[in-house]
Amino acid sequence: MAATGEAAKPRVVICGGGIIGAATAYYLARTGGPEVARRVMVVEREAPACAASGKAGGFLALDWNDSSPVGPLARLSYRLHPQLAAELREQLGRDVGYRTVHTWQVVGVEAVPAGAKGGRLRGSEALPDWVDGNVMGSSEMGDTDSTAQVHPALLTRALLDGAVAAGARLVTGCVQGLQLEAAGAEEQGRRVTGVVVDGEVLPADVAVVAMGPWSDAARAWLEGAAAPGAVPHITGQKYHSVVLRPEQPVTNHMLFTGFKYASGRTVEPEVYPRPDGTVYVCGEPQALPVPPSPAEVVVEGQLIDNIRRVAGSLASCLKEAPVEAQQACYLPCAPDSLPVIGPVPGVAGAFLATGHTCWGILNAPATGLVMAEMILEGKAKSVDVRPFAPARFVRGAAGAGARR
Ligand SMILES: Cc1cc2nc3c(=O)[nH]c(=O)nc-3n(C[C@H](O)[C@H](O)[C@H](O)COP(=O)(O)OP(=O)(O)OC[C@H]3O[C@@H](n4cnc5c(N)ncnc54)[C@H](O)[C@@H]3O)c2cc1C
């Protein structure tokens, strides 16, 4: 939908106030100018960043996706993060916790094997002093040229506030469906004319479904209108996490662990110190159905205790550290585990921006940028997003079956 003049500027409703919806709103409002910005609305059912975008780690890597089609998107996004952090500081006075980091793979155990002394073995000497627990080995995975972090909740909220400051609107409401009409005499198919929010229709030319794992609802909203199969099944994977506040300062060393409990069970929690002195630790993946709303996500005390035990075994300063948050959330996943970014075949004005799995914080800026390009200029210019097009799921499309 190219905008050539004032009359052609689309009314855009973004469904979902997670980081993908927030980044899309931010780039639309910034690149489109005030006339576009004031036609952009984000609809969020609970609160901005109430789900994975507020409960994620915020780890960023330049090249860890290079072996997948996500590589170019991730590289662009990695470059955009420090730019965004600087912009948001300058324009809104907001600190989103961006910094470059050191990243290590750490092998840890709860019970040190008989005959081996506790503490660090050979190969672990390069770790900082605060990692003083049962570490049996380590290796460097990334340095400050290739790995970084942000605070996901702060970034999501700052992006939304940036969009609002430019003229966009953020409203609280539950999106229940899309209003579609026949596209017109010359065009086949249907087009978006509105978004149904809490029983009322908000007029819209463009609807962006960016509801994380809840984007699955769009299958029903677009059924019979979209090309068959074009809206994929989006599932969620549940994770628990804690935010600890140790008494002693911790350095900017991110730890990807392979950890063995005394029971023999092995797990892979991730430990991310943050610039504010807290330490985020996540783990315990579970394949569970996504609850109807983010407000219904259940936090299981046992899984939180498990994560704290790992943290305390690796670093004594984390053992009794006060807990600032204990939480759970779902990361969104498409059938082929690739993001889903782009127009829905068969329905003009319907876009999907979801399925970012464990890299949604990293890839949000580039996703938001290309979403703005597709909506305002008719195509993505900054990076090739064809591998992520919903069109790949259309039944009969080349490779559609193979990818599922
Ligand atoms: C434990 C964990 C750690 C992670 N760590 C990292 C990391 O270190 N680095 C990284 O790059 N990625 C990480 N991720 C992945 C990242 O968090 C996600 O990919 C990303 O947050 C997804 O953002 P989203 O906007 O698509 O979805 P969400 O954050 O789920 O947001 C969707 C929003 O839509 C709203 N919504 C839902 N239904 C409706 C409706 N009907 N109407 C209106 N609004 C609705 C929800 O309330 C929610 O606010 C992690 C994920 C998890 C679970």
Side-chain angles (χ1 to χ4, degrees):
M1 180 168 303
T4 48
E6 167 61 16
K9 304 244 188 296
R11 296 163 298 179
V12 183
V13 174
I14 298 168
C15 314
I19 197 159
I20 301 299
T24 302
Y26 182 82
Y27 280 105
L28 275 171
R30 260 192 68 232
T31 56
E35 295 308 325
V36 168
R38 65 186 177 81
R39 289 164 185 253
V40 172
M41 183 185 287
V42 179
V43 181
E44 163 56 46
R45 70 179 291 172
E46 300 286 341
C50 67
S53 301
K55 294 170 178 151
F59 177 75
L60 315 174
L62 170 70
D63 53 8
W64 290 20
N65 287 284
D66 278 359
S67 60
S68 109
V70 179
L73 184 79
R75 279 182 172 266
L76 171 62
S77 228
Y78 190 84
R79 279 200 290 112
L80 291 174
H81 270 286
Q83 286 176 23
L84 272 181
E87 259 170 50
L88 292 166
R89 177 176 293 110
E90 216 169 275
Q91 291 170 12
L92 303 179
R94 303 287 275 276
D95 180 358
V96 298
Y98 175 86
R99 68 175 174 182
T100 58
V101 298
H102 300 277
T103 304
W104 285 76
Q105 171 73 39
V106 169
V107 179
V109 290
E110 189 170 37
V112 178
K117 281 207 301 187
R120 292 179 197 181
L121 298 190
R122 203 139 40 114
S124 307
E125 301 89 346
L127 292 171
D129 288 345
W130 63 270
V131 191
D132 60 357
N134 298 341
V135 174
M136 310 301 284
S138 66
S139 58
E140 191 175 20
M141 298 175 80
D143 60 17
T144 51
D145 288 331
S146 61
T147 55
Q149 72 180 147
V150 288
H151 190 300
L154 296 182
L155 177 57
T156 304
R157 292 187 202 121
L159 288 169
L160 282 170
D161 290 350
V164 169
R169 276 176 298 161
L170 169 64
V171 301
T172 304
C174 183
V175 179
Q176 295 161 323
L178 303 180
Q179 188 184 63
L180 309 176
E181 282 181 4
E186 293 121 49
E187 295 169 85
Q188 289 192 328
R190 310 280 287 274
R191 69 184 175 93
V192 171
T193 55
V195 174
V196 185
V197 179
D198 294 332
E200 291 192 13
V201 177
L202 299 178
D205 307 300
V206 170
V208 178
V209 177
M211 305 188 313
W214 295 278
S215 303
D216 196 50
R219 284 194 300 146
W221 299 348
L222 291 161
E223 191 174 359
V231 184
H233 187 27
I234 301 294
T235 53
Q237 187 170 32
K238 188 175 182 184
Y239 280 82
H240 279 69
S241 56
V242 291
V243 179
L244 306 171
R245 186 171 285 282
E247 277 179 10
Q248 76 178 72
V250 283
T251 54
N252 61 338
H253 288 70
M254 311 290 115
L255 308 179
F256 285 75
T257 75
F259 184 87
K260 195 191 243 185
Y261 286 107
S263 65
R265 186 165 81 100
T266 55
V267 290
E268 296 179 338
E270 291 159 23
V271 181
Y272 303 151
R274 286 179 166 161
D276 63 3
T278 61
V279 177
Y280 170 96
V281 191
C282 69
E284 297 288 353
Q286 295 172 293
L288 288 174
V290 180
S293 93
E296 293 166 76
V297 175
V298 174
V299 178
E300 293 181 48
Q302 181 61 57
L303 301 185
I304 295 291
D305 289 348
N306 292 351
I307 291 171
R308 290 187 67 196
R309 264 166 64 199
V310 177
S313 292
L314 295 172
S316 59
C317 68
L318 301 181
K319 202 167 266 167
E320 300 301 334
V323 178
E324 288 209 344
Q326 46 185 22
Q327 56 204 10
C329 61
Y330 289 75
L331 55 83
C333 199
D336 58 7
S337 299
L338 292 178
V340 187
I341 304 170
V344 176
V347 184
F351 288 81
L352 302 180
T354 185
H356 288 73
T357 66
C358 61
W359 289 112
I361 307 303
L362 169 63
N363 290 321
T367 301
L369 176 62
V370 293
M371 283 302 303
E373 290 170 353
M374 283 190 277
I375 291 166
L376 297 177
E377 301 175 59
K379 63 176 184 178
K381 290 174 13 190
S382 298
V383 68
D384 182 4
V385 286
R386 282 173 297 179
F388 316 126
R392 72 189 189 272
F393 296 109
V394 173
R395 283 196 269 283
R403 285 197 178 100
R404 283 185 212 199

